[in-house]
Amino acid sequence: MGLKLYTGPILDVSDERELCVHAAECVRGMPEVFNVSERPWVNPTHADTPELADKLRAVVARCPHHALKIVEHTS
Ligand code: SF4
């Protein structure tokens, strides 16, 4: 499976499925971005304000095995 990158307007999220321990911090923390019934299941396009981007950073930081990571835009 490997690493997948999901792009959003303010930041991107990478996902390494092999590291996921299904703690559901992501889906509980920000269901508008992390929704396992949708494809793609990670959709950072919903984090489209600075406040929502900060919330997404906080939710991703709680991912226990670092399956999810924030990829900041460089420009
Ligand atoms: S928070 Fe991380 S470990 Fe938990 S379900 Fe989401 S991706 Fe998997």
Side-chain angles (χ1 to χ4, degrees), residues 4-64:
K4 284 200 175 161
L5 186 69
Y6 300 94
T7 55
I10 299 178
L11 28 85
D12 303 342
V13 175
S14 69
D15 175 39
E16 200 162 355
R17 279 299 70 210
E18 289 81 356
L19 297 181
C20 177
V21 291
H22 305 289
E25 291 287 347
C26 53
V27 293
R28 270 201 301 265
M30 211 164 174
E32 65 270 47
V33 171
F34 302 101
N35 184 341
V36 291
S37 349
E38 286 184 5
R39 291 293 176 269
W41 83 278
V42 182
N43 191 347
T45 61
H46 295 299
D48 56 358
T49 66
E51 291 76 20
L52 288 172
D54 279 347
K55 185 177 177 190
L56 181 56
R57 286 185 188 95
V59 168
V60 165
R62 293 203 296 271
C63 175

